Amino acid sequence: MENMTSQRPSFVVSEAILNQEGKFTVKDILDKVRNIILDQFDTIDTLKRYIIEKLNSMCDYGLIGRTDVYYFSI
């Protein structure tokens, strides 16, 4: 049986972001996590906003970088 903690949106999205290499966009992360956690959100737009909030938070902590066009691993 799979660990329920690993299915929490925060963990799934954070792991997808931190495993990225090079440049990536919100769409790249959305494509990776959509099938895993979409059922925990009302709409795809809600999930997308959650991903953007998580990306911005990780930028604030210096875990990833960003430009106007894309995010990037550090």
Side-chain angles (χ1 to χ4, degrees):
M1 188 158 125
E2 206 169 73
N3 187 349
M4 291 299 287
T5 304
S6 66
Q7 296 302 311
R8 291 188 2 214
S10 178
F11 180 82
V12 173
V13 173
S14 295
E15 185 175 31
I17 293 168
L18 294 174
N19 286 334
Q20 290 292 312
E21 294 182 9
K23 302 173 187 176
F24 58 94
T25 64
V26 173
K27 184 180 181 322
D28 295 330
I29 302 301
L30 183 62
D31 291 343
K32 287 186 184 259
V33 303
R34 178 186 325 214
N35 294 332
I36 301 169
I37 59 171
L38 182 59
D39 61 333
Q40 298 180 41
F41 291 86
D42 294 332
T43 65
I44 196 99
D45 288 332
T46 307
L47 174 55
K48 187 175 179 179
R49 283 193 303 272
Y50 181 80
I51 292 169
I52 291 169
E53 288 176 17
K54 182 64 83 172
L55 285 164
N56 291 336
S57 175
M58 288 185 162
C59 286
D60 292 343
Y61 285 108
L63 299 172
I64 59 172
R66 73 174 154 220
T67 69
D68 291 338
V69 179
Y70 56 83
Y71 296 88
F72 55 91
S73 60
I74 296 181

